[in-house]
Amino acid sequence: MRLLLSRWELHRERNIVVSILIAGLLNGLLFTFLMPPWQHYDEPSHFEYAWLFANRDRSPEIGEYDQAMRREVAASMVEHNFFASLGARPNLLSQTEPVWIGISQTNDPPLYYWLVSLPLRLVRTSDITFQLYLARLISVCLYLVTILGSYLMVRELTKPASVLHWLIPTTMIMLPGFSDLMTSVNNDVGAVAVFSIFLWLCSRAIRRSKDWLSLVGITATAVLCFLTKNTVMIAIPLALIAGLFAVFRDRQRVVAWSVLGLVALAMLIFTLRWDGAIAWYQQEVGGTFIHQNESEENLLGERCLRFAVPQSSQIRVLQPLSIDQVVGLRGEIVTVGAWIWATDSMQASTPILSDGVNEYFEPIEISSIPTYFSFQVLIPKNAERLMVVLDPPSLPQSGEIYFDNVVMLKGDHTATTSDTVGGTSGDGGLQISNLVENSSFEEAWLVVTPEIERHLVSWLPFEPSHVFSSLSKWDSAGWYYRATIENLFRTFWAKFGWGHISMAGQKPYRVLFMATLLGGIGAAVAFWRLKRELPLEMWAFLGIAIMVVWVAAILRGVVSLSGEIFIHG
């Protein structure tokens, strides 16, 4: 009887898997042919990378393109009304500049594009739009791999015959935003597919004693993640964590936890420094700009800003104002100034006031004597953002330049005597409030060690020091986190095209918010019921994986706080 029951359950599980995959295939094909050509995030340039693989006898070089192919793609985009709402068309007759089809993706890892290129090699002379649909079908196959990976993962974590075996994969199929992305030509498709299998193998290795086959699979899929996209390169350290939990079990588990604790402590010690400045951002990766000196040159304490001139790359240090401050300054006159000096006489500029469109400053001549410089600006009535920017002089000058006590004052205070300009000071009996926070760089803050950050940025989709800077002044950074989380929520459910096609009105998303909230509560209850069935190591591993993936997604556009605004889904 037990044998018959076991066979029946096995047959039932197979039917579930087949049914789920068939449903996924039908849904994937629907999205593949329903979505107009090129109407996915950066799809033309992702397709270009795969096309170059298919039509070259080598790997494409960074920045490489084929002008004739770009003309075909751009013409297809025009034919399918891609530019109808943009009010502009690419120049198909351009001879000197590449025809515009989006930002080149040829600097991305190659695995996904190589895989998509395989069927394209067989249809090199076919219509370019037909080739696009063929490339999308490869993504559909990876979509099915992801669905299968979710089923295997759930089966590993739950009891046999659990309703979650079919409920979670089916829910994934029914998510419009997920299905839309996973049927596009985009290396996110490959990243999600490979990472899904990686997580299943990690869970399998942690749960099962000495499952060496799973350990080999973890290693292989971690390498595949590395070759697919930087957003899933986190698989490398996650593979080490899973390996520790899989090898050191039972009484030896203390070894795994000790190693992880020591590694985490070492990372904190060697990665972070209390050497930044609250509220200030630096646009150069791994740059250092705080000068600490007890000499009399430091006007208001022991710290000031120092630039080494000349610079091998553009280093700018800036502070964005909060949204409320920007609104309050529209149409008003402000005074911007600072104490500036250098090791030698040189040409420089006052602090720059940027509104995101224009930059306002005045050229100055500085010497080794600290001198106060200021100028006034009329803030545009339509200003959306304001930033005070400190920029070192350009070549061919050499030496060091220093900034201290940077100010931005509401009103015309260019005639204010230099010794009365500060955070808050008196001028004719009036209080002058400085809109620049931590103007003399005295309040220290966490930054990432420059040498380490230079390596981290090649792995991470964001700059770590920007994150710490944003946390030091939440009133000017909070808008980014709110906008990003809202957009991630909307794109998770339903936001199409290049993120410009939303569901009509606000009410659909409010309903979906309630569904998300109820689903989160249900998931918490389900996990609570599973707490005794899964080892602590499994919870720790899954918690780390979930936290890292979501935090990376939220932080990906943190550069918006100090540069061009990039809010993504």
Side-chain angles (χ1 to χ4, degrees), residues 42-168:
D42 298 313
E43 192 168 46
S45 47
H46 283 292
F47 173 80
E48 176 188 39
Y49 195 176
W51 187 94
L52 290 171
F53 255 116
N55 289 269
R56 299 287 189 269
D57 295 328
R58 52 175 174 77
S59 298
E61 298 178 0
I62 295 177
E64 183 177 354
Y65 67 94
D66 184 284
Q67 189 76 317
M69 175 268 181
R70 284 201 164 203
R71 286 197 184 95
E72 285 191 70
V73 171
S76 177
M77 294 167 72
V78 172
E79 179 185 355
H80 293 92
N81 299 317
F82 182 90
F83 300 98
S85 61
L86 299 180
R89 288 188 176 187
N91 180 10
L92 301 181
L93 302 179
S94 175
Q95 300 296 323
T96 57
E97 297 292 330
V99 175
W100 187 91
I101 61 171
I103 300 174
S104 175
Q105 305 293 326
T106 51
N107 60 332
D108 286 343
L111 181 61
Y112 169 79
Y113 304 100
W114 174 83
L115 184 61
V116 173
S117 75
L118 296 180
L120 298 182
R121 299 169 193 265
L122 305 176
V123 292
R124 293 177 178 175
T125 59
S126 298
D127 175 71
I128 203 72
T129 307
F130 170 78
Q131 294 187 48
L132 170 68
Y133 281 116
L134 188 60
R136 284 184 177 180
L137 291 178
I138 299 301
S139 291
V140 172
C141 295
L142 294 172
Y143 174 51
L144 298 180
V145 170
T146 303
I147 295 169
L148 178 61
S150 70
Y151 163 78
L152 294 172
M153 180 79 172
V154 174
R155 193 180 70 170
E156 194 67 44
L157 299 178
T158 58
K159 296 178 180 180
S162 170
V163 68
L164 295 177
H165 288 194
W166 62 267
L167 183 59
I168 290 180

Side-chain angles (χ1 to χ4, degrees), residues 22 28 57 60 84 112 115 126 138 159 173 182 274-275 283 313 331 352 355 359 389 392 396 436 527 550:
I22 291 175
D57 295 328
Y112 169 79
L115 184 61
S126 298
I138 299 301
K159 296 178 180 180
I173 294 171
M182 293 299 291
W274 198 258
D275 195 28
Q283 287 188 319
S313 59
I352 299 168
D355 60 13
E359 293 188 340
V389 183
V436 176
F527 282 129
W550 275 99

